Amino acid sequence: MTDPVATPPAPAEAPERRPTDWKGNVMQRRIARRYAAERRFHAMGLGAVLLSVGFLAFLLVTMIGNGASGFRRTEVLVPVDFAHASIRLDPASFRGPGRDAALAAADFEGVLFESAQQKFGGGSFKLLSEGAWLAVRNKVADNPDILKGQAAIWVPASSAIDRAAKSGAADADLDRVRKVTEVRTSFDLSFLTGADSTDPTMVGVWGAFKGSLLTMLVTLALAFPVGVLSALYLEEYAPRNRWTDLIEVSINNLAAVPSIIFGLLGLAVFLNTMNLPRSAPIVGGLTLALMTMPVIVIAGRNAIKAVPPSIRDAALGIGASRVQVVFHHVLPLALPGILTGTIIGMARALGETAPLLMIGMRAFVSAPPGGLTDPATVLPVQIFLWSDEVSKGFVEKTSAAIIVLLVFLMAMNGLAIYLRNRFERRW
Amino acid sequence: MTFSAALVTIIALGVVAWALARGKAAAFAGGPRPHSRPGHHGWYVALWAGVPALIFLIAWSVSMPGLVSSETLSAPAAAQLPADPMERSAVMAEVRGLASGEMAAGFHPASEQLAPVYRSATTRYGWIGFGIAALLGLAGGAYAWFRLTPSFRARTAVERVVMIALIAASLIAIVTTIGIVFSLLFESLRFFAKVSPIEFLFGTTWSPQTAIRADQVGSSGAFGAVPLFWGTIFIGAIIAMIVAIPLGLMSAIYLTQYAPATARKWLKPILEMLAGVPTVVYGYFAALTVAPALRSFAVTVGIPGASSESALAAGLVMGIMIIPFVSSMADDSIAAVPQSMRDGSLAMGATTSETIRKVLVPAALPGVVGGVLLAVSRAIGETMIVVMAAGLAANLTANPFASVTTVTTQIVQLLTGDQEFDSAKTLAAFALGLVLFLVTLLLNIVALGVVKKYREAYD
């Protein structure tokens, strides 16, 4: 055994080296300094992670803080005297086949205005929401018999009163209303079932959500089969030549092209050349499908690559054709991985805004779309449009819509993680 | 006959053909050993019955509106239509709306007369198309039906079709790329016919608002895009990277080198959630919370030119969004450094942080640089954050509290206004898109090249 501190024979002219004094003050200070640097570096790493996570938490807390009240709505109890209203409405006409036409023709707005004037005096219009009469109409549609007499109806309050009631701030109008009638703030189902409106108390996310669903449907129907088929071709059949290299390069590039460029493509090709309808889910779906397809191809290729060659060899060995090998054995085994990639790609498409602005999905759409060619908007675009509104009541509605969107994205990502954990297989 | 009804009929025909042919092929079992399984015979006949008819149906539905329009325009009532093609197409849009029942009344008197003509022409051409498609389907099905014999190689034929479908699907990526390049290039050339490319690339004044009349002030507009390029680089490549590189790199180092396995298991997905939040949410957050806070800070400190829409707000939030990209790229390249290098350094008595700083990071540097380039490419293509938080003023300023504008913001601004499609203003958006596409493409190619070259070094 050699002495660990023994030095090799030094050249003659070098000064004599003494063994390092590990216990000496100089060395101890140096070690302490190095350990301090180590701790600092460790703390910086932890700090970076915590800062990033903290930012995410701050974002979520801000959105929930701003948006939680957006799911609630303030309502005012207004006694409506149908029997003595200047516009007489006949209960019989709101029954039977003519019901919808009669409901559309009747002037509920006038009836409500009259009742509100009696109850609150002058300037009652700014106390109630613009769409307050819809509550009266719904009440009559449910039970036309109330037209014979008087009924107390909860109608949505105006945006200013709504905000005052939620924040608990002193407000002259709110106090005035509180003096003469009841005011309540409760969970607002119409935010989840309604469509866009110019009045923040009347808006809902269902219209945009349905637009998102239709758009995603088109995206999935196009991107999934095309993505899976091209992943199969590239991984299982493609010869290594210049053509398949070109295909590979263009798929990898498409995955990194900025999303707004796909919007420009959609505008130039689908709208201006093919004359498809503007603002329609079908065009949005086509555009997003081109964007999602490369994501599915890349995920699909990884999943297919993970299937061991022995499975293919075994199937080929008992006489299956190459198409049978792929469609009966490789594809079913790779499917969980492909599905995980597809869900992640769809989640990305669901949150996409910029390309859809390019193809005109920023129009004001007050009714949920009925089909693939109807004008529609999607949730992220709806959020963008509401964020531009001047009216203060839209702040909480925008945040509430963001909460809805985030809940769906997290559900999709959670499903992807679950699928990965459930079906992941080590060969 | 509507398109969807025809589609359902053709598909039903295919299903029936499949079932019948499968039954016929199943009966071969008694004789000589057949070449293909009954299912392949079924698919063979179904493909012959369905595919030609479907192709015809799609081609017909594309060409039908033109046929219907020309027939409507040749009707006697169309003689009173204005000669101007723009007004003509407006009237035709009304006719279409009336015929489909979406509109109750047209503005132009002729549209009311033309609507019945249009409707009957639509119905007639619809039935003609359906008839031909059905004939094609039946003829194709019958042809295939009579070819079925025990020795017929149905499987080979069906598999050839499957291969064609696979190749066609993988060609869509190329078609999309070509579509992007051509649509950008075509519109950009029209733009450069009106505005000189030199002014566009080197001019320093950006004011795309063109006046309606030629004699007004600012009738020509100015299309010098340098302030846009600067704003894009300032936000995406400078401010965002100042946030993203240290945070992303340190996060990756902590998660790979220090964090216990359970902490890593939880922290990594949480960090990745930052990349999954939609950009419109970041944009709203930047505009609603970050920008006002920064502005009041700047006003308190006394920085001149503080705007409520600042480069800093957009850049900060964008940097946060980019953290997971930088950290996962850094993670990969640190993991690719051979364990022996790390062990060697530790064995020499270096502390963990010294090993990381002096051995791992230098060895992983090309991969990290590649990741940063990819992150820059993503940041400069990002739209919603800058649209909502960066502002519209085309300033050439280095003050992060001032408002700057970016290429993507201007594309959105130029294309969401109400202007006719041929003006220099709307075409400018495509020229900006072309520049953005080329720059991000270049960054991606360089980044992927760097990453690839580096990865091979340790194999």
Side-chain angles (χ1 to χ4, degrees):
Chain A
M1 289 296 281
T2 49
D3 190 348
V5 286
T7 49
E13 62 272 22
E16 193 197 344
R17 285 197 59 180
R18 282 176 299 157
T20 311
D21 181 11
W22 295 104
K23 298 269 161 60
N25 273 339
V26 182
M27 213 55 193
Q28 286 297 326
R29 267 207 303 280
R30 193 167 155 183
I31 289 173
R33 209 164 59 232
R34 285 174 62 202
Y35 281 176
E38 168 72 27
R39 279 193 298 274
R40 272 202 306 278
F41 195 74
H42 188 153
M44 269 163 63
L46 185 61
V49 174
L50 291 184
L51 202 64
S52 313
V53 172
F55 182 87
L56 183 69
F58 180 49
L59 178 101
L60 294 180
V61 167
T62 312
M63 287 307 154
I64 292 171
N66 281 338
S69 59
F71 292 101
R72 289 147 55 79
R73 181 165 74 174
T74 306
E75 290 173 310
V76 178
L77 192 64
V78 179
V80 182
D81 191 357
F82 291 104
H84 297 97
S86 58
I87 312 142
R88 298 302 295 270
L89 298 167
D90 177 18
S93 67
F94 295 103
R95 291 203 184 85
R99 176 169 168 269
D100 289 342
L103 279 173
D107 182 16
F108 291 111
E109 205 164 359
V111 175
L112 179 65
F113 179 60
E114 216 171 281
S115 311
Q117 287 283 25
Q118 274 169 19
K119 190 79 186 173
F120 307 121
S124 62
F125 244 118
K126 66 173 186 180
L127 302 178
L128 298 181
S129 156
E130 280 170 35
W133 59 276
L134 287 168
V136 181
R137 192 180 76 177
N138 292 344
K139 197 88 179 175
V140 171
D142 288 345
N143 179 17
D145 286 330
I146 57 170
L147 290 173
K148 289 174 186 155
Q150 218 185 25
I153 299 176
W154 286 103
V155 299
S158 74
S159 181
I161 290 199
D162 184 41
R163 274 185 297 122
K166 281 173 191 165
S167 66
D171 184 86
D173 283 334
L174 180 61
D175 292 340
R176 208 174 111 204
V177 176
R178 279 220 171 104
K179 249 175 229 154
V180 290
T181 185
E182 284 179 68
V183 176
R184 70 170 184 193
T185 303
S186 59
F187 180 73
D188 174 22
L189 196 64
S190 72
F191 179 71
L192 297 177
T193 57
D196 199 4
S197 163
T198 49
D199 183 348
T201 59
M202 300 302 296
V203 297
V205 291
W206 175 241
F209 190 69
K210 197 175 173 197
S212 275
L213 284 183
L214 290 172
T215 308
M216 290 297 110
L217 199 71
V218 177
T219 306
L220 188 65
L222 292 171
F224 183 67
V226 172
V228 171
L229 290 183
S230 54
L232 283 177
Y233 177 73
L234 288 175
E235 210 48 57
E236 294 288 326
Y237 302 106
R240 300 290 312 169
N241 61 24
R242 216 184 299 159
W243 273 105
T244 49
D245 278 352
L246 193 64
I247 294 175
E248 252 192 89
V249 168
S250 48
I251 285 175
N252 288 335
N253 272 332
L254 281 184
V257 166
S259 61
I260 194 167
I261 301 285
F262 285 95
L264 289 175
L265 172 75
L267 175 64
V269 173
F270 300 135
L271 294 188
N272 290 336
T273 309
M274 290 165 74
N275 284 319
L276 290 170
R278 270 183 98 80
S279 312
I282 186 151
V283 182
L286 277 166
T287 309
L288 292 181
L290 295 179
M291 219 183 85
T292 313
M293 194 254 309
V295 180
I296 299 179
V297 175
I298 291 170
R301 288 187 68 175
N302 287 333
I304 293 165
K305 216 182 279 173
V307 177
S310 58
I311 303 235
R312 297 179 185 85
D313 295 343
L316 284 171
I318 56 165
S321 72
R322 293 192 60 197
V323 171
Q324 282 172 324
V325 170
V326 166
F327 283 90
H328 295 179
H329 301 280
V330 176
L331 187 57
L333 290 172
L335 210 52
I338 299 178
L339 283 180
T340 313
T342 307
I343 294 170
I344 289 169
M346 293 300 289
R348 229 176 86 179
L350 177 62
E352 202 54 72
T353 319
L356 300 177
L357 291 183
M358 296 288 95
I359 56 160
M361 288 189 104
R362 57 176 287 149
F364 177 80
V365 180
S366 61
L372 293 179
T373 51
D374 287 354
T377 186
V378 297
L379 260 184
V381 178
Q382 186 76 82
I383 289 167
F384 175 62
L385 293 177
W386 284 352
S387 75
D388 255 5
E389 292 279 350
V390 203
S391 168
K392 281 218 173 97
F394 272 106
V395 171
E396 60 173 28
K397 296 296 176 185
T398 311
S399 303
I402 285 176
I403 294 174
V404 172
L405 179 63
L406 286 180
V407 164
F408 267 88
L409 284 178
M410 280 178 193
M412 283 171 87
N413 284 322
L415 184 67
I417 291 171
Y418 171 78
L419 275 178
R420 185 154 52 197
N421 292 342
R422 176 82 175 66
F423 292 103
E424 193 174 56
R425 202 193 292 214
R426 295 245 170 252
W427 300 94
Chain B
M1 198 72 182
T2 62
F3 177 74
S4 47
L7 197 67
V8 169
T9 317
I10 297 296
I11 290 172
L13 185 69
V15 172
V16 170
W18 181 83
L20 286 177
R22 201 176 183 283
K24 179 178 175 183
F28 293 154
R33 192 180 137 84
H35 171 270
S36 304
R37 313 246 326 132
H40 286 119
H41 289 280
W43 275 108
Y44 179 72
V45 178
L47 285 171
W48 264 107
V51 173
L54 279 181
I55 292 174
F56 172 78
L57 209 59
I58 290 167
W60 185 255
S61 69
V62 170
S63 57
M64 207 176 85
L67 291 173
V68 171
S69 296
S70 63
E71 169 146 344
T72 314
L73 287 173
S74 64
Q80 46 173 312
L81 283 186
D84 179 40
M86 286 284 284
E87 287 179 43
R88 247 169 200 249
S89 64
V91 175
M92 281 310 289
E94 272 181 22
V95 171
R96 233 169 277 138
L98 283 172
S100 63
E102 280 169 19
M103 282 165 66
F107 294 102
H108 198 278
S111 62
E112 307 250 348
Q113 294 168 24
L114 286 174
V117 181
Y118 188 91
R119 203 176 300 136
S120 70
T122 310
T123 318
R124 186 151 31 83
Y125 280 115
W127 278 105
I128 292 173
F130 174 66
I132 298 177
L135 268 178
L136 267 178
L138 288 173
Y143 165 75
W145 174 263
F146 289 114
R147 293 190 69 184
L148 296 192
T149 56
S151 62
F152 178 65
R153 296 171 171 263
R155 188 180 85 178
T156 319
V158 169
E159 291 187 350
R160 198 173 304 137
V161 175
V162 172
M163 284 308 293
I164 291 172
L166 287 176
I167 294 174
S170 58
L171 286 180
I172 287 183
I174 292 190
V175 173
T176 310
T177 310
I178 294 174
I180 288 178
V181 171
F182 272 80
S183 58
L184 291 179
L185 210 59
F186 181 65
E187 308 289 348
S188 301
L189 286 178
R190 286 169 64 193
F191 172 72
F192 289 129
K194 299 181 186 208
V195 177
S196 122
I198 295 179
E199 190 209 326
F200 176 72
L201 289 177
F202 301 107
T204 53
T205 322
W206 177 263
S207 124
Q209 285 303 333
T210 41
I212 295 164
R213 289 200 324 274
D215 53 330
Q216 279 174 312
V217 178
S219 60
S220 60
F223 293 96
V226 169
L228 274 53
F229 299 149
W230 165 247
T232 309
I233 292 170
F234 190 41
I235 291 180
I238 299 176
I239 301 178
M241 289 305 131
I242 289 175
V243 176
I245 293 173
L247 285 177
L249 195 55
M250 287 309 292
S251 299
I253 287 171
Y254 181 78
L255 290 178
T256 52
Q257 306 297 325
Y258 287 109
T262 44
R264 181 178 156 82
K265 195 180 144 201
W266 283 99
L267 286 174
K268 206 169 150 63
I270 291 177
L271 213 59
E272 274 162 7
M273 273 171 66
L274 279 174
V277 173
T279 54
V280 67
V281 176
Y282 280 120
Y284 183 63
F285 182 68
L288 186 82
T289 312
V290 179
L294 285 175
R295 183 181 136 72
S296 54
F297 168 76
V299 169
T300 324
V301 177
I303 296 168
S307 161
S308 62
E309 289 177 320
S310 62
L312 190 57
L316 272 180
V317 174
M318 198 187 277
I320 303 281
M321 183 191 88
I322 300 284
I323 288 175
F325 294 92
V326 177
S327 99
S328 74
M329 290 299 288
D331 198 327
D332 286 351
S333 40
I334 289 174
V337 177
Q339 185 66 24
S340 57
M341 285 174 76
R342 187 177 136 86
D343 292 347
S345 168
L346 290 173
M348 297 279 285
T351 62
T352 317
S353 67
E354 284 163 351
T355 306
I356 293 165
R357 273 180 293 163
K358 306 236 163 81
V359 178
L360 293 188
V361 171
L365 202 60
V368 174
V369 170
V372 167
L373 287 183
L374 280 182
V376 169
S377 144
R378 208 185 153 83
I380 65 175
E382 169 46 45
T383 311
M384 295 320 291
I385 297 177
V386 287
V387 165
M388 294 166 87
L392 294 173
N395 285 332
L396 258 176
T397 170
N399 177 2
F401 290 97
S403 163
V404 298
T405 193
T406 66
V407 171
T408 47
T409 311
Q410 287 302 318
I411 294 177
V412 171
Q413 282 302 316
L414 294 172
L415 286 181
T416 50
D418 303 320
Q419 196 145 8
E420 74 276 24
F421 193 68
D422 279 350
S423 74
K425 186 182 154 189
T426 43
L427 291 176
F430 286 91
L432 289 175
L434 184 66
V435 172
L436 182 67
F437 178 72
L438 291 178
V439 170
T440 50
L441 193 67
L442 202 70
L443 277 172
N444 291 333
I445 290 172
V446 170
L448 288 176
V450 168
V451 173
K452 208 172 173 183
K453 193 172 170 195
Y454 157 74
R455 280 214 180 117
E456 282 163 359
Y458 293 110
D459 277 346

